[in-house]
Amino acid sequence: MPRRPRLHLPGGLYHVILRGNGRREIFFDADDRRHWESLIQKGLDRFEHRIHAYCWMTNHVHMAIQCGNLPLSNFISFVASQYARSTNKKLNRSGHLFERRHRAILVQADSYLKELIRYIHLNPLRAGLVEALSDYEWSSHPAYASGEAPNWLTLDWVLSMFGETRADARQRYARFMQVDCRRSIDDELRRGQADDARVLGDEAFITSLGSIGHRAATHQTLDDLALEVAQQNGVSAAELKSLSRERKFSRIRAEIALAAIEGGVATNAEVARYFNRSQSVLSLAVSRLRKRARGTNK
């Protein structure tokens, strides 16, 4: 069953999770994380989003992002594709570094912002990477606890929910972090709500979203998607539209078709016409890709 298209709400708060392909490592040393952060800063400058919290684990990342006017997927694609290319070059390898689709959950900020920050910051502790949160360098927890923050991290919104002064807010934040999330909230922050994995909020919040879900698919065209996936694979959109039957191009066209179908961007028939390919052949390629994806994510 196709996934629902992403929700794009300017000013909305999103919990973004991006994992390594097959849950494999994406960071191999400190320099990798520093390079990732440099790309984060470039992406924020370019797409005008705000990051309120983050955690760079070994094989995945978490971010609390407040979305600007441009779709969040553009920012994630820019950072991930740039990082994947440089990392594959460094390791002298090819292939996908990240899972094809990141998770982005639109979160009701006034009800869940503090819980989301706590959930993100507790990841290294729960994974057994450190015995104390202060020992983990690659999250925004030290910035909230001590005040030393990268210039691309936004602190004021979250701290204002803990106290009127920074000193008071930091003390209350520290006490808040000593209590773990309830397991039910933990699951919701990771997966969204059972009836719509794109959203986490109460009935009034969901109702207030109105027709956003119906408009979401229009924020990315098939041209945009084809260019995005082509760039991630180091080829041009023109090459994908050529008459070449090279297996690499066939695989990439199938990836674009699957993403288009699941994201509500286009149908299989529309993608087949876009690339001037047989609809039945493309459909078989998409089916094979789905089966491989299910096998990898078990």
Side-chain angles (χ1 to χ4, degrees):
M1 180 178 179
R3 296 172 180 169
R4 295 183 182 184
R6 299 191 190 279
L7 294 173
H8 172 62
L9 177 64
L13 176 70
Y14 289 80
H15 178 202
V16 174
I17 307 170
L18 180 62
R19 298 187 184 278
N21 193 29
R23 307 296 175 97
R24 292 188 288 271
E25 291 184 352
I26 57 176
F27 300 119
F28 300 91
D29 54 36
D31 286 341
D32 288 343
R33 288 181 169 89
R34 294 189 189 98
H35 178 51
W36 171 262
E37 290 185 347
S38 72
L39 293 172
I40 288 287
Q41 181 162 17
K42 289 179 182 178
L44 293 176
D45 291 341
R46 179 172 176 176
F47 296 101
E48 299 182 340
H49 304 313
R50 294 180 179 179
I51 291 184
H52 297 279
Y54 68 89
C55 184
W56 317 139
M57 300 291 281
T58 303
N59 65 353
H60 69 283
V61 300
H62 290 270
M63 290 177 276
I65 303 182
Q66 190 175 14
C67 195
N69 289 323
L70 295 173
L72 190 57
S73 59
N74 292 4
F75 166 72
I76 301 299
S77 176
F78 170 79
V79 176
S81 61
Q82 295 281 327
Y83 180 78
R85 277 198 292 271
S86 61
T87 301
N88 280 343
K89 183 177 180 180
K90 170 184 173 179
L91 299 177
N92 192 28
R93 70 181 193 186
S94 60
H96 292 293
L97 183 67
F98 295 101
E99 286 184 345
R100 182 180 50 79
R101 185 179 172 95
H102 66 276
R103 180 178 290 276
I105 302 170
L106 177 60
V107 176
Q108 185 176 2
D110 53 359
S111 298
Y112 292 98
L113 175 58
K114 290 165 69 174
E115 293 290 354
L116 175 58
I117 301 302
R118 179 161 59 185
Y119 170 80
I120 290 174
H121 288 169
L122 284 176
N123 265 264
L125 199 62
R126 291 174 174 173
L129 299 180
V130 292
E131 293 185 1
L133 285 181
S134 58
D135 296 333
Y136 197 74
E137 180 181 357
W138 304 108
S139 85
S140 48
H141 170 74
Y144 281 102
S146 66
E148 297 180 10
N151 57 16
W152 46 264
L153 179 66
T154 301
L155 298 173
D156 292 344
W157 186 24
V158 174
L159 287 175
S160 69
M161 292 193 163
F162 287 98
E164 294 183 2
T165 68
R166 287 221 162 188
D168 184 40
R170 293 189 195 284
Q171 289 179 356
R172 294 186 180 184
Y173 165 79
R175 290 197 293 270
F176 179 77
M177 289 301 299
Q178 293 173 3
V179 179
D180 203 347
C181 301
R182 297 198 310 272
R183 184 56 58 186
S184 59
I185 293 179
D186 180 284
D187 289 341
E188 290 172 346
L189 289 169
R190 186 171 64 253
R191 300 173 184 168
Q193 295 181 165
D195 56 343
D196 192 341
R198 303 170 301 168
V199 184
L200 178 57
D202 60 26
E203 185 175 348
F205 175 71
I206 294 172
T207 301
S208 73
L209 298 178
S211 61
I212 289 174
H214 299 291
R215 301 197 309 268
T218 66
H219 287 288
Q220 187 179 47
T221 66
L222 184 53
D223 277 327
D224 293 334
L225 179 60
L227 179 60
E228 175 183 318
V229 178
Q231 289 176 340
Q232 289 174 356
N233 285 275
V235 302
S236 69
E239 287 176 304
L240 295 178
K241 283 190 169 184
S242 72
L243 297 178
S244 172
R245 295 187 177 183
E246 189 175 338
R247 288 184 64 184
K248 176 177 70 173
F249 295 147
S250 298
R251 173 184 57 78
I252 297 171
R253 284 191 286 265
E255 290 181 10
I256 292 169
L258 180 58
I261 294 165
E262 293 189 342
V265 175
T267 65
N268 183 75
E270 289 169 336
V271 179
R273 286 196 297 271
Y274 181 81
F275 288 118
N276 195 25
R277 289 298 187 278
S278 162
Q279 183 177 341
S280 60
V281 171
L282 185 62
S283 180
L284 286 173
V286 170
S287 296
R288 288 195 294 268
L289 193 60
R290 275 200 179 104
K291 289 178 181 178
R292 284 201 299 269
R294 284 196 293 267
T296 299
N297 292 325
K298 285 182 179 179

